[in-house]
Amino acid sequence: MKQQTLILIKPDGLVKSLTGNILTRLSETKLEIAAAKMVRVTPELAREHYKHLQDKPFFNELIEYLQGKLHSRRKVLAMVYWGENAIQKVRELAGATNPEEAEPTSIRGAYGRITSKGVYENVIHASSNESEAEREIKLWFEPDEIILDAYPVKTITIEKLSKKVWS
Ligand code: IDP
Ligand code: MG
């Protein structure tokens, strides 16, 4: 079954210069990259992305972590990978949520850590099922930013739209 999945290289992954290593590991899956962009994460985006954890004691630190407030990189690399069984393939390669319990050869096992404040800095996010992937991909990407027809779209006309163009 062909699927799409959202992958984020979190701020710790960027600060540790792990982007190349992580992309190389991801290429083992033979999945296709359908979208990629750098994103400055607003508090609203971080809260929406992790809203299923809003009652957890580590929620506020987690939101700061995703925004890059714990690191010197206020950005993440957001990507959509597409192909056969994409969600499970990427989750397996990512490893368990807790980097200390993750397979040592998984991305999180190799590069993650638990901070003294108890945040799991696990360098990568990967969607865990199809409905989560759909919610997350729609949250992080516009239809035109993805190189395939990920989900049904509609066209709307926006009047008086202002946007930045090259001057
Ligand atoms: P996942 O990233 O493996 O899907 P989730 O339960 O969705 O795991 O948690 C999202 C993120 O929240 C994790 O990747 C990790 O950074 C952080 N997190 C999850 N559980 C804990 C915890 O018990 N303590 C500290 N941080 C956690
Ligand atoms: Mg999750």
Side-chain angles (χ1 to χ4, degrees):
M1 179 194 2
K2 304 276 191 195
Q3 295 173 325
Q4 45 242 332
T5 186
L6 180 83
I7 301 176
L8 305 175
I9 299 187
K10 296 180 180 182
D12 52 325
L14 297 176
V15 167
K16 292 174 175 172
S17 277
L18 292 172
T19 308
N21 303 41
I22 292 169
L23 294 180
T24 301
R25 295 298 311 276
L26 287 168
S27 69
E28 290 168 19
T29 63
K30 308 272 193 329
L31 298 167
E32 281 182 39
I33 303 174
K37 64 177 177 180
M38 299 304 305
V39 183
R40 249 183 233 298
V41 183
T42 61
E44 294 74 28
L45 176 57
R47 285 174 179 278
E48 185 61 27
H49 178 77
Y50 279 137
K51 70 177 181 188
H52 61 294
L53 298 170
Q54 61 196 355
D55 297 329
K56 301 284 184 192
F58 55 84
F59 183 68
N60 286 341
E61 266 98 24
L62 179 62
I63 296 314
E64 297 205 332
Y65 163 41
L66 192 64
Q67 289 179 79
K69 288 189 171 177
L70 311 182
H71 299 86
S72 56
R73 303 287 154 90
R74 295 284 184 106
K75 58 194 171 190
V76 306
L77 176 57
M79 301 178 290
V80 177
Y81 273 58
W82 178 85
E84 194 62 34
N85 207 12
I87 293 172
Q88 195 203 334
K89 279 183 184 160
V90 177
R91 286 290 291 193
E92 267 179 32
L93 196 59
T97 305
N98 180 338
E100 285 185 1
E101 289 173 2
E103 278 286 319
T105 54
S106 68
I107 294 170
R108 288 167 164 181
Y111 302 125
R113 67 166 192 150
I114 302 179
T115 68
S116 50
K117 282 189 171 171
V119 181
Y120 294 177
E121 289 188 358
N122 50 15
V123 303
I124 187 175
H125 166 81
S127 307
S128 57
N129 57 55
E130 282 195 344
S131 64
E132 190 177 280
E134 177 170 356
R135 186 185 84 82
E136 293 175 350
I137 290 169
K138 289 178 175 174
L139 178 65
W140 287 81
F141 287 92
E142 303 275 347
D144 281 344
E145 294 174 317
I146 305 179
I147 220 80
L148 50 87
D149 297 330
Y151 303 104
V153 294
K154 60 183 178 184
T155 303
I156 58 168
T157 305
I158 302 167
E159 285 173 31
K160 291 191 181 159
L161 172 75
S162 45
K163 65 172 201 166
K164 277 188 201 161
V165 295
W166 304 118
S167 60

